[in-house]
Amino acid sequence: MLTRIDHIGIACADLDATAAFYRATYGFEVFHTEVNEEQGVREAMLRINGTDDGGASWIQLLQPLDPESPVGKWLAKNGEGVHHIAFGTADVEADAETARQAGVRVLYDTPRTGSMGSRITFLHPKDCHGVLTELVTAAPSKGVEGPSGH
């Protein structure tokens, strides 16, 4: 069962400049950064708040490592902005199967590793009213749950 909005993924051309904007404008600090070679991105997670289920809500900034990566191609076509929405779940496999049963295409046969060791999959945007949708099971953590990766 989906429990929260885990994060909003935002594609950007310059991760550092975009993170500086979010810090100066909203006071959001970068909680975690990493390079996800499998997804082809450099990313930063900005924690927004905690949630009743023990998780957190985040802004995920995504800078492509290569113009030919999925985010790189998306950025070239659409420009900077919202790339996807991610919903938190205790069981990414079960919720992916529920989506499949409802006729939604699930992009990965088995979940992949996302930010901070999470497990993720994506739902096809054409089956989700034009929105690329990610399902995220956060990795067990030491007090701060979240987020996915891209």
Side-chain angles (χ1 to χ4, degrees):
M1 177 169 97
L2 304 179
T3 58
R4 62 189 153 76
I5 294 175
D6 184 87
H7 68 272
I8 306 294
I10 299 174
C12 61
D14 182 331
L15 188 83
D16 297 326
T18 305
F21 166 82
Y22 277 89
R23 183 180 317 104
T25 306
Y26 306 115
F28 298 155
E29 294 294 333
V30 172
F31 179 83
H32 175 82
T33 60
E34 70 181 82
V35 172
N36 186 322
E37 296 285 346
E38 182 180 6
Q39 299 294 320
V41 295
R42 179 175 167 239
E43 61 183 78
M45 301 302 295
L46 291 73
R47 188 170 190 268
I48 307 306
N49 66 332
T51 61
D52 291 343
D53 69 355
S57 294
W58 308 81
I59 297 290
Q60 179 186 44
L61 304 178
L62 302 161
Q63 177 182 328
L65 296 174
D66 183 310
E68 293 304 310
S69 70
V71 173
K73 290 178 183 177
W74 188 93
L75 190 61
K77 179 179 178 184
N78 299 291
E80 293 184 306
V82 174
H83 179 263
H84 66 275
I85 186 168
F87 294 107
T89 174
D91 189 341
V92 69
E93 290 96 343
D95 283 323
E97 185 56 31
T98 298
R100 271 190 200 94
Q101 295 297 319
V104 175
R105 288 173 279 180
V106 178
L107 299 185
Y108 305 149
D109 290 332
T110 58
R112 296 186 181 178
T113 301
S115 295
M116 299 167 54
S118 62
R119 299 182 68 233
I120 65 168
T121 195
F122 285 90
L123 308 179
H124 200 291
K126 288 185 179 177
D127 298 339
C128 298
H129 298 272
V131 178
L132 179 60
T133 303
E134 184 178 7
L135 303 179
V136 179
T137 297
S141 66
K142 299 172 186 160
V144 179
E145 265 197 62
S148 100
H150 169 194

